[in-house]
């Protein structure tokens, strides 16, 4: 395997599970020193121990948490070269029945936290001429029935990434975003069982959002990690403001 991140200092959120865990493994395998910020301390510490990395408790719903995480990571690693915003939650709810609490929580964790962490990390990334990769969703540019708050938050992550790329390019800082479709992770499993939601909504969402690629197994978190690593590497040195969708063709029509 290439060692594209030898000696690079990588801060990622959501590394306790799914796409974040696969990404932490990928970066460590390519030589990175990794700090994982996650609300799941037990899960994050297990992954960090496996990789010789570090973990820091991080609750994305707390607006002050991004600054603290950046400070802790800078102390541990002596700076940051790559910031990966991966942590997130998925919530069901149509425009007509999404509660204020669900709307707020989804926006807080899936969008505002990405903004706070990005803002806190920018001075350090300017110093290192580093880069950012955010994880949005195919649902951020193509609505999935019954997921309005999630879709709005993920659309916001795409807009935030483009603004970051536009404003930070002059400092040599790149920002890109990956938009997965369905990926086989604990989040996806929970979403598709949706015990707390109307099964008719789930059926409608599924019918409208099938991958168009026949004969291919479900996307794995490792495949998304490869895309994230590409965008963070020098292989993508000319890519900034890029929206990389990996969804088996779900959003092609
Ligand atoms: N799995 C999919 O089908 C899919 C599709 C599109 C986009 N995504 C996005 O990919 C990202 C990772 O999702 P996943 O499928 O790996 O899910 P996952 O549930 O397996 O992992 C999510 C991680 O985020 C952490 N997290 C959740 N709430 C947090 C909080 N308040 N503070 C800090 N950490 C928190 C969890 O502890 C966990 O480690 C998310 O942003 C998700 O929206 C996933």
């Amino acid at each position: 395997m290439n060692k594209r991140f030898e000696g690079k200092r990588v801060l990622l959120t959501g590394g306790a599970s799914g796409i974040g865990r696969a990404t932490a493994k990928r970066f460590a395998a390519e030589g990175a020193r990794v700090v994982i910020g996650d609300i799941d301390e037990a899960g994050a510490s297990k992954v960090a121990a496996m990789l010789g990395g570090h973990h820091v408790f991080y609750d994305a719903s707390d607006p002050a948490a991004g600054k603290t995480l950046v400070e802790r990571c800078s102390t541990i690693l002596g700076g940051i070269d790559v910031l990966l915003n991966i942590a997130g939650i998925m919530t069901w709810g149509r425009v007509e029945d999404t509660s204020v609490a669900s709307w707020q929580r989804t926006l807080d964790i899936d969008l505002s936290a990405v903004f706070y962490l990005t803002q806190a990390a920018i001075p350090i990334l300017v110093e290192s001429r580093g880069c950012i990769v955010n994880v949005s969703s195919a649902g951020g540019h193509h609505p999935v029935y019954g997921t309005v708050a999630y879709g709005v938050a993920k659309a916001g992550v795409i807009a935030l990434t483009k603004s970051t790329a536009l404003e930070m390019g002059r400092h040599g800082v790149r920002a890109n975003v990956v938009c997965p479709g369905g990926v086989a992770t604990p989040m996806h499993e929970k979403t598709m069982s949706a015990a707390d939601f109307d099964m008719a909504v789930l059926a409608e969402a599924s019918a409208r959002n099938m991958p168009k690629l026949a004969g291919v197994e479900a996307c794995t978190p490792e495949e998304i990690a490869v895309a994230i690593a590409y965008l963070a590497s020098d292989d993508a040195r000319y890519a900034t403001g890029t929206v990389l969708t990996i969804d088996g063709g779900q959003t092609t029509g």
Side-chain angles (χ1 to χ4, degrees):
M1 185 177 288
N2 283 344
K3 293 276 185 185
R4 292 178 294 183
F5 303 108
E6 196 73 67
K8 294 283 186 197
R9 301 157 299 181
V10 176
L11 170 58
L12 74 133
T13 67
S17 174
I19 294 169
R21 181 168 57 188
T23 304
K25 281 190 189 169
R26 174 88 207 187
F27 276 75
E30 291 207 39
R33 295 162 61 210
V34 173
V35 168
I36 297 170
D38 204 294
I39 199 166
D40 174 3
E41 276 199 285
S45 75
K46 231 189 254 172
V47 176
M50 185 168 62
L51 306 177
H54 302 264
H55 73 99
V56 173
F57 175 78
Y58 167 67
D59 179 358
S61 69
D62 172 2
K67 191 164 176 284
T68 309
L69 180 59
V70 165
E71 285 167 0
R72 292 283 312 279
C73 180
S74 302
T75 304
I76 295 168
L77 299 179
I80 301 171
D81 298 297
V82 178
L83 170 64
L84 308 173
N85 279 298
I86 304 176
I89 57 167
M90 155 70 190
T91 52
W92 286 105
R94 292 173 294 200
V95 175
E96 67 196 80
D97 52 27
T98 293
S99 68
V100 171
S102 174
W103 173 264
Q104 200 59 60
R105 185 167 167 70
T106 312
L107 271 285
D108 284 350
I109 293 173
D110 285 350
L111 175 58
S112 299
V114 180
F115 172 68
Y116 299 138
L117 192 50
T118 300
Q119 194 176 49
I122 272 176
I124 295 159
L125 292 171
V126 167
E127 215 170 276
S128 63
R129 287 181 75 86
C131 71
I132 301 171
V133 182
N134 294 324
V135 174
S136 171
S137 167
H141 58 79
H142 187 98
V144 175
Y145 188 91
T147 66
V148 63
Y150 183 75
V152 168
K154 292 300 190 181
V157 171
I158 296 171
L160 170 63
T161 309
K162 289 187 175 186
S163 281
T164 307
L166 176 66
E167 294 174 12
M168 301 317 296
R170 71 188 63 183
H171 300 290
V173 174
R174 299 184 298 111
N176 293 291
V177 58
V178 175
C179 294
V183 184
T185 69
M187 174 190 281
H188 193 247
E189 232 170 77
K190 196 167 149 225
T191 300
M192 298 313 282
S193 63
D196 57 341
F197 202 68
D198 183 348
M199 290 311 281
V201 172
L202 177 58
E204 182 121 20
S206 302
R208 290 166 192 249
N209 289 281
M210 291 308 284
K212 307 292 188 294
L213 204 55
V216 177
E217 295 289 318
C219 187
T220 66
E222 289 73 21
E223 287 171 290
I224 302 301
V226 168
I228 294 170
Y230 161 67
L231 286 171
S233 76
D234 286 344
D235 289 340
R237 66 174 189 89
Y238 206 61
T240 193
T242 301
V243 183
L244 178 51
T245 299
I246 300 174
D247 68 349
Q250 175 188 318
T251 54
T252 51

